[in-house]
Amino acid sequence: MTKLTIAQLLKETKLQEVEVKGWVRTFRAKRFIALNDGSTLNNIQCVVDFENTPEDTLKRITTGAAVAIKGELVESQGKGQSVEVVVSSIEILGDSDPETYPIQPKKHSFEFLRENAHLRTRTSTFSAVMRLRSALSFAIHKYFNDNGFYYMHTPIITGSDAEGAGEMFKVSTLDQKNPPLTEDGEIDHTKNFFGKDTNLTVSGQLEAETYAMSLGKVYTFGPTFRAENSNTSRHLSEFWMIEPEVAFMDLAGNMDLAEDFMKSVITYILENNAEDLEFLDKRLADEEKTKPQAERSELSLIEKLKFVTENNFKRVSYTEAIDILKNSKPNKKKKFNYIIEEWGADLQSEHERFLVEKHFKCPVILFDYPANIKAFYMRLNEDGKTVRAMDILFPGIGEMVGGSQREERLDVLKEKMAVLDIPEEELWWYLDLRKYGTAVHSGFGLGFERLVMFATGMSNIRDVIPYPRTPQNAEF
Amino acid sequence: MTKLTIAQLLKETKLQEVEVKGWVRTFRAKRFIALNDGSTLNNIQCVVDFENTPEDTLKRITTGAAVAIKGELVESQGKGQSVEVVVSSIEILGDSDPETYPIQPKKHSFEFLRENAHLRTRTSTFSAVMRLRSALSFAIHKYFNDNGFYYMHTPIITGSDAEGAGEMFKVSTLDQKNPPLTEDGEIDHTKNFFGKDTNLTVSGQLEAETYAMSLGKVYTFGPTFRAENSNTSRHLSEFWMIEPEVAFMDLAGNMDLAEDFMKSVITYILENNAEDLEFLDKRLADEEKTKPQAERSELSLIEKLKFVTENNFKRVSYTEAIDILKNSKPNKKKKFNYIIEEWGADLQSEHERFLVEKHFKCPVILFDYPANIKAFYMRLNEDGKTVRAMDILFPGIGEMVGGSQREERLDVLKEKMAVLDIPEEELWWYLDLRKYGTAVHSGFGLGFERLVMFATGMSNIRDVIPYPRTPQNAEF
C-alpha cells in the first residue's frame, strides 16, 4: 500500500492500492468526495460505495472533515482528472460540524476570510497564494545561492533609530505603568533590557553593507517594521524584505543584478507553479469583469509575469522621465491626480504606471534621482544635485525595487549626516566602512509582499501574508 | 579581461589577463599581496613588481586596504596555491590606516572581535563561520523544498502571550513616560498601535499548526525572542528558529523526519563547504590543545559532523534513559552535578552528553517524557502521565532538536489549558483546529544558532550570529 500526497497521486500512472489522508472539500450525491491535502490546488476524487457504507459514516463526510481513505487508484471515468480512488475503507479522523464550520463550499468575501485567517488556506485561492509565496521565497534563496551570495541575518531589535526609513516600534521590558526615571525625570533606559532604548528594525541595509565589505556579495531576507498609521491595502506594519548588497558593484551593475534577479524568480514560478498561477489568473479575470471597462487591466496575471520575463527593462534617467511626463497627454489634460510641473517632483504610482504601461510598454528602471528626495546614504553624483538611486517600475503596481550605489566617501557621507542631524556616534561602525578599505558598493531592497501581490494578482497586501499586522490588528 | 571572484580564479586552469578587486590581508617583502574578496577562505597571491611601482603606492598597500588589480594569472611558483597574479597595475580604492585599523594581521581575542563585529568577518575564522551559516540556511530551505514542504512566515509581533516558551519583550508605540491610562489607572492598550498589548514572538509553532492543517507540510524559519536575563555563552535574546509541522504524521514519523533532516543539512555542508570546515576543524583542534586533557573533546569537528551523518539515531524512551542514568557510573560516583534519583527528573546537558558520548556512542532520540516537564500542547499518552515528546541529543552540545506529536483532542487540550490558566479566548483559533477536521500532527523546533555552533565548533553563541542581542547589548 502506497502512502503518497495527492500531488503525487494525481501524477501516478501505475494503478495500485493506495492510502490517502486529507480534508473533504465537497461530498456530493453520497458518492463523490473531493479530497485535498494541501500538497496541490487539485482535489482527488474518491468514489464511495454508499450502499455498503454505514449511514452514520456517510453523514460525517462533511466539508472540512479529516478522513483517511484506503482504496484502489483507477483511471477516472469523469472529466477533469486522470485518476480517482475507488474507496474500500474510510475512517473519519476529525469531524467538521457543517452548522458551525466557517469555510463553506461557496464564495466567501476576502474580508470574512481575513477574520478566519487560521482557516483561509483551506480555500483554493489562499492555498494557491501561500504556495506561491513559498515558491517565491525558495526562488529568491536559490538565485542568490547559485550566484555566490551569502545569506545574512541582520538584527531585528536595533539600538539605532537613524535609518530614517520610517516610524519605529519600541521594544522594551520596562514596567509600562511605572517606568524607572532618571533624576531629570526622563525614562531610565539603563534599566531597560539592552541598557538603552531599542526599536524594531526598518531595514537591514546598513548592517548588510558591513558584510558586503568583507564577504563581497550578501543578501538579507527578513522581517522589517513600520509604525506608521497607514490603513491602506498597500501597507503592513510587519513585512518581509530582501536586500542584496555587493562590494565593487556600481549602479549599472546594480541594475543588471536587479533585472536578472527579478526575471529569474518570476521564471521560476512560471516553470514550477503553473497550476496555481492558472487558477489565480482565472480568478483575477473574473474579478476584473466586475469592474468598469476603464479600470480593467489590459494584461492578465500571466501576461504581466511574462511582461517582466520577456522584455528588457528600459533604463531612463529621472530627468528624462520628468520630461516625458511633463509633455504627456494625461499631464497636459490634467488627468493625473498629481500634475508634474517641474524637476524635483516625487513620482506617484500613476506616473510610474504611465511610463511602464503606456509610454515604454516594458518594465522601467529610473535612475539618478534628485538627492533631496532620497536617503542620506546614496552616492552623490558629480552634478551635486542627483544621487545614484534607481527604482524599478512594474505594470499595475508601480515601484517594485528601490536601490542605489552607496556613498563610499567618508567626507561626503559625514557632511550629509550633519545636514540631517544624524549623530556620528550612532553610526560609528557604518562610518568605519568608509575609513578602512572603502570601495564602490551597491544594493537594493525588494518588499517581499509587493512581489507576492504582483505574482498572485491579489490586490490587498493583507491577503498575501499569513497573519497581517496592521493598525489596530494583531490577531492570531 | 575576465572579472572573476577569487573563489573562481583559484579554480581557473586557463592562464589569462584578469582583473580582481578585494581587500589586502597581508603585504610582505614589498612584493606579495594576499588578497581576499570574501568569496572564499583562501587568498590569491598577487605579486607586485615593486621596482616599477611608485613608493607612494607601495606604502598604501596595507592590511584592510581595498585595491583593484590587473595582471596575468600564472601558475604559482610558491607552495599552497596553484595560481597567482602577476600584477601589471594596482589601484588603491580605499586606504586603511595601519595605525588605527582594528583588524591587524595577528590573533585577536573573540571578545575584542565582538566589539568590532562590523569588521570581524574580515578574519578567516568569522568569514568561515558566516559562510557556513549561510550554507546551512540554504541546505534547510533546499531540504524542505525538495520534500514538498511550504515555507511559512509566522508573525513576529503577537497579541498572544500564551505560548509559554519564555519571557517576552513588549512592542509598543505608547508614550513611555506618560502612557495613556484607563479610568482604573491601568495602561490603556486601546490607544496602543495594535489596539492591544503586544509582544515579540517566542515561537511560530502554533501558527504553523494552522497551516499544516490546510497545506499539509509546512515549516517556519524566522527570528524568535526571549527576554530572559541569561548572560551565558548559550543564550541569545534574539535568535532564529526552524519549525516544521506536518499533518497526519505521528511521533515516529516526526523522528524519521528529524533524523533525515539533520543528516541532510550536515551532509550538505560536508559536501559544499570543505575548505571552511577544514579551517575550523584545525582552529578547534588548536583551541582544544590549550585545555586540560580531561576537558578535551574526543572527536574533532569533522568527526562530530560525521558522527551525525554516519550513525543511526538511537531511539530510547525517557523511562529507559532514566534507568540507564540512575545505574551509570557517574551517577553512582556522584560525578554528575545533578544526581538522577527518580523518574520525573529533568535531564541536564551532562546527562544528555553521557547518553550520546559514553553510553550509546551515537545521536540519541529520547521520547515519551513526563507530561509535567513539557508544554501544554503535547499529545498525552494513554498512560496519562507521559507525552509524545522527543528531544534529539548530539555530542558536545546535548539537546539539538525538541519536538512532539500535538494534542489533537479538543477535550484533552481544553483540560490542559484550564489547569495551566491559559484562557481559551486567547487561543480560540488554535482550538478551532481541533473542532474542524482535527487529525494527528507533529513537528519540531531547531534553534538555528545551536546548529551553527555544532557545525562550526564555535563555543560562544555570540560568535555565530552577525550582531548578537544579549542583556545590556544591542550594538550595531
Side-chain angles (χ1 to χ4, degrees):
Chain A
M1 180 108 51
T2 324
K3 172 95 180 69
L4 296 171
T5 63
I6 291 174
Q8 291 166 323
L9 279 180
L10 290 172
K11 287 181 198 147
E12 271 293 301
T13 49
K14 186 169 143 255
L15 305 183
Q16 56 190 299
E17 291 294 314
V18 296
E19 180 180 2
V20 57
K21 291 176 181 169
W23 294 274
V24 175
R25 282 287 169 87
T26 58
F27 181 44
R28 66 186 168 81
K30 282 192 178 181
R31 205 171 159 76
F32 302 106
I33 300 174
L35 193 71
N36 192 285
D37 67 357
S39 63
T40 161
L41 180 76
N42 299 307
N43 307 317
I44 194 159
Q45 176 158 290
C46 301
V47 186
V48 179
D49 176 7
F50 67 93
E51 289 174 335
N52 292 305
T53 305
E55 189 62 27
D56 179 54
T57 302
L58 291 175
K59 271 194 194 147
R60 294 171 65 198
I61 306 176
T62 57
T63 297
V67 299
I69 282 172
K70 290 179 185 174
E72 203 178 346
L73 190 72
V74 301
E75 280 180 54
S76 179
Q77 306 302 313
K79 64 178 175 120
Q81 68 247 345
S82 59
V83 292
E84 62 187 28
V85 176
V86 177
V87 177
S88 59
S89 82
I90 178 163
E91 183 193 350
I92 311 291
L93 302 172
D95 290 283
S96 174
D97 181 353
E99 298 297 315
T100 61
Y101 185 51
I103 310 295
Q104 294 296 320
K106 62 158 198 172
K107 212 173 169 61
H108 293 286
S109 76
F110 288 164
E111 290 75 14
F112 173 81
L113 290 172
R114 253 169 250 149
E115 285 163 18
N116 289 281
H118 61 310
L119 301 175
R120 67 179 173 171
T121 37
R122 298 181 181 198
T123 68
S124 295
T125 297
F126 284 93
S127 72
V129 167
M130 294 306 165
R131 277 190 299 267
L132 275 162
R133 185 180 167 105
S134 172
L136 285 164
S137 296
F138 187 71
I140 289 164
H141 285 300
K142 185 175 183 321
Y143 177 86
F144 287 124
N145 188 68
D146 288 351
N147 288 281
F149 282 72
Y150 298 111
Y151 181 29
M152 173 196 184
H153 294 108
T154 47
I156 311 301
I157 299 172
T158 171
S160 149
D161 60 3
E163 295 161 28
E167 290 296 310
M168 298 176 100
F169 289 101
K170 295 263 169 242
V171 175
S172 171
T173 54
L174 295 179
D175 185 323
Q176 291 183 295
K177 228 169 87 183
N178 299 302
L181 300 178
T182 61
E183 282 179 10
D184 306 343
E186 297 300 316
I187 299 281
D188 183 2
H189 280 295
T190 63
K191 302 255 169 47
N192 212 336
F193 191 89
F194 296 106
K196 59 171 155 179
D197 195 13
T198 50
N199 301 296
L200 289 178
T201 186
V202 293
S203 159
Q205 176 200 313
L206 305 193
E207 287 91 353
E209 285 185 50
T210 67
Y211 269 39
M213 296 306 280
S214 51
L215 297 176
K217 299 198 272 187
V218 301
Y219 72 106
T220 72
F221 188 166
T224 51
F225 305 84
R226 297 278 189 288
E228 266 118 31
N229 199 2
S230 301
N231 230 325
T232 83
S233 62
R234 292 161 65 99
H235 290 91
L236 289 171
S237 310
E238 171 182 315
F239 58 99
W240 287 67
M241 196 138 76
I242 296 109
E243 298 178 287
E245 192 73 32
V246 182
F248 310 117
M249 183 176 79
D250 62 12
L251 189 64
N254 206 14
M255 294 186 206
D256 293 342
L257 173 66
E259 178 170 351
D260 189 51
F261 167 73
M262 292 305 301
K263 285 180 167 166
S264 168
V265 299
I266 290 176
T267 300
Y268 180 92
I269 57 166
L270 284 168
E271 287 173 358
N272 290 279
N273 299 73
E275 279 169 2
D276 287 326
L277 283 176
E278 277 156 28
F279 175 84
L280 291 171
D281 187 86
K282 191 170 171 317
R283 189 207 71 79
L284 185 60
D286 290 344
E287 187 184 280
E288 290 280 308
K289 280 180 204 149
T290 66
K291 293 182 186 168
Q293 186 78 41
E295 289 173 26
R296 292 184 200 168
S297 167
E298 285 176 29
L299 300 175
S300 77
L301 173 60
I302 291 175
E303 283 167 348
K304 253 187 247 171
L305 300 181
K306 292 189 173 166
F307 185 88
V308 170
T309 59
E310 293 175 0
N311 282 306
N312 289 326
F313 292 16
K314 175 78 182 173
R315 300 173 188 199
V316 186
S317 76
Y318 167 88
T319 302
E320 216 177 317
I322 286 290
D323 277 347
I324 293 167
L325 289 167
K326 261 201 329 210
N327 296 314
S328 69
K329 253 195 211 165
N331 204 57
K332 288 183 173 168
K333 296 194 167 176
K334 305 208 185 293
K335 288 278 166 68
F336 283 143
N337 291 318
Y338 296 83
I339 303 304
I340 298 289
E341 296 188 338
E342 58 190 5
W343 194 93
D346 211 348
L347 300 189
Q348 306 296 321
S349 180
E350 58 182 341
H351 309 127
E352 296 170 342
R353 292 186 56 186
F354 172 82
L355 291 170
V356 171
E357 295 165 31
K358 305 292 177 190
H359 190 82
F360 290 110
K361 296 184 192 300
C362 66
V364 171
I365 310 182
L366 293 190
F367 62 90
D368 283 355
Y369 278 80
N372 61 350
I373 59 170
K374 290 288 183 183
F376 76 94
Y377 48 72
M378 295 188 178
R379 175 62 153 82
L380 193 65
N381 275 312
E382 313 315 322
D383 63 15
K385 62 176 193 168
T386 62
V387 286
R388 288 188 198 156
M390 66 164 193
D391 282 356
I392 302 190
L393 316 180
F394 270 19
I397 203 159
E399 183 192 331
M400 177 60 73
V401 163
S404 73
Q405 188 174 316
R406 317 307 187 187
E407 184 55 72
E408 86 281 14
R409 296 163 300 181
L410 184 62
D411 52 341
V412 181
L413 187 59
K414 278 185 170 178
E415 252 173 60
K416 274 244 193 138
M417 286 169 59
V419 170
L420 295 169
D421 275 332
I422 302 171
E424 290 186 17
E425 314 83 80
E426 277 227 7
L427 293 180
W428 63 274
W429 47 274
Y430 189 68
L431 291 171
D432 264 6
L433 302 180
R434 280 74 183 169
K435 272 186 207 154
Y436 305 116
T438 192
V440 164
H441 63 288
S442 304
F444 62 82
L446 166 69
F448 184 56
E449 282 72 21
R450 302 209 78 190
L451 174 63
V452 183
M453 287 174 80
F454 181 74
T456 59
M458 301 298 278
S459 57
N460 192 317
I461 199 165
R462 294 171 170 89
D463 294 333
V464 300
I465 188 166
Y467 297 105
R469 267 67 181 114
T470 52
Q472 300 298 311
N473 178 35
E475 193 60 64
F476 306 102
Chain B
M1 179 109 49
T2 323
K3 172 97 180 66
L4 296 171
T5 63
I6 291 174
Q8 291 167 322
L9 278 181
L10 289 172
K11 286 181 198 145
E12 272 293 302
T13 49
K14 188 171 143 252
L15 304 183
Q16 57 190 298
E17 291 293 315
V18 296
E19 179 178 4
V20 57
K21 291 175 183 172
W23 294 274
V24 175
R25 282 285 170 86
T26 57
F27 182 44
R28 64 184 171 83
K30 281 192 176 179
R31 203 169 159 79
F32 302 107
I33 300 174
L35 193 71
N36 192 286
D37 67 358
S39 62
T40 163
L41 181 76
N42 298 307
N43 307 318
I44 195 159
Q45 176 160 289
C46 301
V47 186
V48 179
D49 175 5
F50 67 94
E51 288 175 336
N52 292 306
T53 305
E55 189 62 27
D56 179 53
T57 302
L58 291 175
K59 272 194 193 146
R60 295 171 64 198
I61 305 174
T62 57
T63 296
V67 299
I69 282 173
K70 290 180 186 175
E72 203 179 347
L73 190 73
V74 300
E75 280 181 55
S76 179
Q77 306 303 314
K79 64 177 178 123
Q81 67 247 344
S82 61
V83 292
E84 62 186 27
V85 176
V86 177
V87 178
S88 59
S89 82
I90 178 164
E91 183 193 350
I92 311 291
L93 302 172
D95 290 284
S96 173
D97 181 353
E99 298 297 315
T100 61
Y101 185 50
I103 310 295
Q104 295 295 321
K106 61 158 199 172
K107 213 173 166 62
H108 294 285
S109 76
F110 287 165
E111 291 75 14
F112 172 81
L113 290 172
R114 253 170 250 147
E115 287 162 17
N116 289 282
H118 62 309
L119 301 175
R120 67 180 173 171
T121 37
R122 299 182 181 197
T123 68
S124 295
T125 297
F126 284 93
S127 72
V129 167
M130 294 307 165
R131 276 189 299 266
L132 274 162
R133 185 179 167 105
S134 172
L136 285 164
S137 296
F138 186 70
I140 289 164
H141 285 299
K142 184 174 185 320
Y143 176 86
F144 286 124
N145 188 68
D146 288 351
N147 287 281
F149 283 72
Y150 299 111
Y151 181 30
M152 175 197 183
H153 294 109
T154 47
I156 311 301
I157 298 172
T158 172
S160 151
D161 60 3
E163 295 161 30
E167 291 296 310
M168 299 176 100
F169 289 102
K170 294 262 170 243
V171 175
S172 172
T173 53
L174 295 179
D175 185 323
Q176 291 183 295
K177 229 167 87 183
N178 299 303
L181 300 178
T182 62
E183 282 179 11
D184 306 343
E186 296 302 314
I187 298 281
D188 183 2
H189 279 296
T190 63
K191 303 255 168 48
N192 211 337
F193 190 89
F194 295 106
K196 60 171 157 181
D197 195 13
T198 50
N199 302 296
L200 289 179
T201 186
V202 294
S203 159
Q205 178 201 314
L206 304 193
E207 287 90 354
E209 284 186 53
T210 68
Y211 268 40
M213 295 307 279
S214 51
L215 298 176
K217 299 198 270 186
V218 301
Y219 72 106
T220 72
F221 188 165
T224 51
F225 305 85
R226 296 280 189 288
E228 266 118 32
N229 199 1
S230 300
N231 230 326
T232 83
S233 61
R234 291 161 65 99
H235 290 90
L236 288 172
S237 310
E238 171 182 314
F239 57 99
W240 287 66
M241 196 137 77
I242 296 110
E243 298 178 288
E245 192 72 32
V246 181
F248 310 118
M249 183 176 79
D250 63 11
L251 189 64
N254 206 14
M255 294 186 206
D256 293 342
L257 173 66
E259 178 170 352
D260 189 51
F261 166 73
M262 292 305 301
K263 285 180 167 165
S264 168
V265 300
I266 291 176
T267 300
Y268 180 92
I269 56 166
L270 285 168
E271 287 174 356
N272 290 278
N273 299 73
E275 280 170 1
D276 287 326
L277 283 176
E278 278 156 27
F279 175 84
L280 292 170
D281 187 86
K282 191 170 171 317
R283 189 206 72 77
L284 184 61
D286 290 344
E287 187 183 279
E288 290 280 307
K289 279 180 205 150
T290 67
K291 293 183 186 168
Q293 187 78 38
E295 288 173 27
R296 292 184 200 169
S297 169
E298 286 177 28
L299 300 175
S300 76
L301 173 62
I302 290 174
E303 282 166 350
K304 254 186 248 171
L305 299 180
K306 292 188 173 165
F307 185 88
V308 170
T309 59
E310 293 175 1
N311 283 306
N312 288 327
F313 292 15
K314 176 78 181 170
R315 299 172 189 201
V316 186
S317 76
Y318 167 87
T319 302
E320 217 177 318
I322 287 289
D323 278 348
I324 293 167
L325 289 166
K326 261 199 332 210
N327 297 314
S328 69
K329 253 195 214 166
N331 204 58
K332 288 183 173 169
K333 297 195 168 175
K334 303 205 186 295
K335 289 276 166 68
F336 283 144
N337 290 318
Y338 294 84
I339 302 302
I340 298 289
E341 296 188 337
E342 58 189 4
W343 193 93
D346 211 347
L347 301 188
Q348 306 295 322
S349 179
E350 58 182 342
H351 309 127
E352 296 170 341
R353 292 186 55 186
F354 173 82
L355 292 169
V356 171
E357 296 164 30
K358 305 292 175 189
H359 190 83
F360 290 109
K361 297 185 192 299
C362 65
V364 172
I365 310 184
L366 293 190
F367 63 92
D368 283 355
Y369 278 81
N372 61 351
I373 60 171
K374 290 289 184 182
F376 76 94
Y377 48 71
M378 297 189 179
R379 175 61 154 82
L380 194 64
N381 274 312
E382 314 313 324
D383 63 16
K385 61 175 194 170
T386 62
V387 286
R388 289 188 195 155
M390 65 164 195
D391 282 355
I392 303 190
L393 317 179
F394 272 17
I397 202 158
E399 183 193 330
M400 176 61 74
V401 163
S404 73
Q405 188 175 315
R406 316 307 186 186
E407 183 55 74
E408 86 282 13
R409 297 164 300 181
L410 184 62
D411 52 342
V412 182
L413 187 60
K414 278 185 170 178
E415 253 173 60
K416 275 246 194 135
M417 285 171 59
V419 171
L420 295 169
D421 276 332
I422 302 172
E424 290 187 17
E425 314 83 80
E426 276 225 8
L427 293 180
W428 64 275
W429 49 273
Y430 189 67
L431 292 170
D432 264 7
L433 302 180
R434 281 73 184 169
K435 273 187 209 155
Y436 304 116
T438 192
V440 164
H441 63 287
S442 304
F444 61 84
L446 165 69
F448 183 56
E449 282 72 21
R450 303 208 78 190
L451 174 63
V452 183
M453 287 173 80
F454 181 75
T456 58
M458 301 297 280
S459 57
N460 192 318
I461 199 165
R462 295 171 169 89
D463 295 332
V464 300
I465 189 167
Y467 297 105
R469 267 68 182 113
T470 53
Q472 300 299 311
N473 177 34
E475 193 60 65
F476 305 103

